[in-house]
Amino acid sequence: MALLHAFDALGGHAVVAHFHHGLRGDEADGDAALVEKVAKRVGWDFVRGERAGSATSESALRRERRKFLREVRRDSGAKFILTAHHFDDNLETVLMRLVRGTGLKGLGAMRPKLGPWLKPLLDVSRSEIEAYARTHGVIFREDATNREGIYFRNRVRQRLIPIVRELADEFGGAEGLRERLTGLLADVRWAGRELKRKSLRLEKKIVTRSEFFYRLDRTELDRAPGVVRRALVLRLLGELTDGEFSRRDIDRVLSVGGGAVRGNILASGSMGFLYLQNGDQRERLRVWELGGGSIRPGDRLKGSGKKVSRFLQELRIPRLERRLVQIRRDEATSDVIGMRLSDISNAPYKELNFP
């Protein structure tokens, strides 16, 4: 509400978007009503969004909220999305990610500007915002769930932040803490940009994308410095699904022998390659196989009688990519008389015939 008041005082114009999480009953209805009332009072359009899914985790709610705000920006023609995150939020984010595990990108925490997202209050503390609201008579409501210990962020706010502030008093107090954290985040973000540049260079060298999976050359990946490997994997995971990934998730991918990473992400290794898939890609591959012409258990080559699976293994075609091989069969015996190797496979793209 303080951001809305300040933006209006500066002569700005905005579409006010409020997302109703559907978790706090009448209290949440009251929050939405207050925001709508103030928006209409200053002559701005008001848009309300509501939770569509059943998931109520912090990350799931955040995804829905951000999706709603992106849609409002698109539909309204707005240039930016402004949120009221402040310095205390950023301090909490840094501590959360340190505890949970993170890399340079995560340690950089929230940025004042990232694409269309603007956070103009990141250098302003919660106490300063509350003082502004009292001075200007800004009415606001506090989310009661902020005091509950069921969410990780709340536990960090209630348990860690008071200790950090107490210790910071020995080193310049709140102002000193803010100055040091702001400087640190600036350095981290610079290092993050350099790391992104190096990981993009590695990506061009070792990553192949298809509609069915992402493939990484494992040998070249292992030669790269660990910090570059992790940055590359983190960005690819971000392309495959929405959500945050911890250092543990990334290390699980890099050491994978096969299996789920998190949510609908699957990592697997074969023939010197690392594969990443999400649920949509796995479904597309399944539909492709059901379309006919794929390998069946027990398939053998006409003439030699060799198992097709063994033959493809000798060609060093990775297991996942064998599913993309198209088969032609003898109508009488069903023996394999030809196959078409996928252009994504390790072997050259070509047709093979077995008379």
Side-chain angles (χ1 to χ4, degrees):
M1 300 303 292
L3 177 61
L4 192 157
H5 180 276
F7 197 61
D8 178 52
L10 292 171
H13 181 79
V15 174
V16 179
H18 178 83
F19 188 78
H20 194 305
H21 296 99
L23 299 176
R24 296 183 291 118
D26 293 342
E27 183 184 0
D29 292 338
D31 293 347
L34 174 62
V35 177
E36 182 175 11
K37 177 182 177 180
V38 174
K40 290 182 176 179
R41 189 177 68 201
V42 299
W44 294 349
D45 292 335
F46 173 81
V47 182
R48 169 172 163 165
E50 298 190 0
R51 177 168 58 96
S54 58
T56 59
S57 67
E58 289 178 276
S59 58
L61 294 176
R62 178 178 179 272
R63 285 195 296 272
E64 280 207 62
R65 188 167 60 246
R66 288 174 64 87
K67 180 175 181 289
F68 161 68
L69 293 175
R70 287 193 296 266
E71 290 172 349
V72 172
R73 173 178 176 260
R74 180 198 64 202
D75 296 342
S76 67
K79 188 173 182 180
F80 298 109
I81 302 171
L82 276 69
T83 64
H85 293 95
H86 47 72
F87 173 79
D88 298 58
D89 292 326
N90 226 11
L91 177 59
E92 292 166 5
T93 300
V94 170
L95 293 174
M96 288 170 63
R97 291 177 177 176
L98 282 173
V99 171
R100 194 165 49 197
T102 189
L104 274 176
K105 183 178 179 181
L107 190 58
M110 291 184 280
R111 292 159 171 76
K113 183 181 186 305
L114 186 62
W117 299 87
L118 299 183
K119 297 177 173 62
L121 302 181
L122 271 189
D123 287 335
V124 184
S125 69
R126 178 184 178 89
S127 61
E128 289 171 329
I129 293 173
E130 291 174 343
Y132 176 92
R134 288 193 299 270
T135 299
H136 296 278
V138 178
I139 301 173
F140 64 92
R141 294 167 62 95
E142 184 174 355
D143 186 342
T145 61
N146 286 341
R147 296 188 294 271
E148 297 176 358
I150 57 175
Y151 295 115
F152 182 39
R153 180 176 289 274
N154 290 355
R155 295 195 295 274
V156 169
R157 180 182 302 134
Q158 294 162 4
R159 301 177 191 177
L160 279 182
I161 294 296
I163 296 174
V164 170
R165 292 198 179 283
E166 179 183 348
L167 294 174
D169 286 340
E170 301 178 23
F171 303 95
E175 283 302 314
L177 176 62
R178 176 160 49 184
E179 182 180 342
R180 289 190 296 275
L181 183 63
T182 300
L184 173 63
L185 294 183
D187 291 346
V188 167
R189 289 164 189 159
W190 178 88
R193 289 191 293 271
E194 288 297 301
L195 180 59
K196 181 179 180 180
R197 182 175 59 83
K198 291 181 181 297
S199 66
L200 283 170
R201 186 182 303 163
L202 178 64
E203 178 183 330
K204 290 179 181 178
K205 185 177 181 181
I206 73 168
V207 178
T208 303
R209 288 174 170 81
S210 80
E211 61 177 309
F212 304 112
F213 46 73
Y214 287 1
R215 185 186 74 184
L216 292 76
D217 184 312
R218 188 70 206 226
T219 301
E220 293 297 328
L221 181 66
D222 289 343
R223 287 175 180 167
V227 65
V228 179
R229 292 199 303 267
R230 288 189 291 271
L232 173 57
V233 169
L234 177 60
R235 189 170 63 259
L236 295 178
L237 291 175
E239 290 181 9
L240 290 171
T241 189
D242 192 16
E244 294 187 356
F245 292 90
S246 68
R247 171 72 173 265
R248 182 182 299 177
D249 296 324
I250 297 168
D251 288 343
R252 189 178 296 129
V253 170
L254 290 171
S255 62
V256 73
V261 178
R262 177 187 284 193
N264 67 345
I265 296 295
L266 180 70
S268 60
S270 178
M271 297 289 184
F273 292 102
L274 172 65
Y275 294 88
L276 295 175
Q277 286 181 294
N278 65 14
D280 290 340
Q281 288 176 313
R282 294 201 296 275
E283 180 61 20
R284 282 196 291 270
L285 181 55
R286 188 185 73 84
V287 171
W288 189 93
E289 288 182 292
L290 292 176
S294 299
I295 301 171
R296 297 192 300 232
D299 274 343
R300 293 182 179 273
L301 303 181
K302 187 170 184 177
S304 69
K306 180 178 291 187
K307 281 189 175 182
V308 171
S309 58
R310 178 63 179 174
F311 177 72
L312 295 177
Q313 185 177 7
E314 291 173 354
L315 289 180
R316 295 197 59 77
I317 297 178
R319 184 183 300 275
L320 187 61
E321 296 183 32
R322 295 174 205 168
R323 297 168 63 181
L324 297 175
V325 175
Q326 294 176 297
I327 297 296
R328 295 195 309 278
R329 294 183 175 84
D330 185 307
E331 293 184 2
T333 65
S334 291
D335 286 345
V336 174
I337 59 175
M339 63 177 64
R340 183 182 187 183
L341 302 181
S342 166
D343 55 356
I344 193 69
S345 70
N346 192 34
Y349 174 85
K350 57 185 176 181
E351 298 267 357
L352 298 177
N353 297 299
F354 308 97

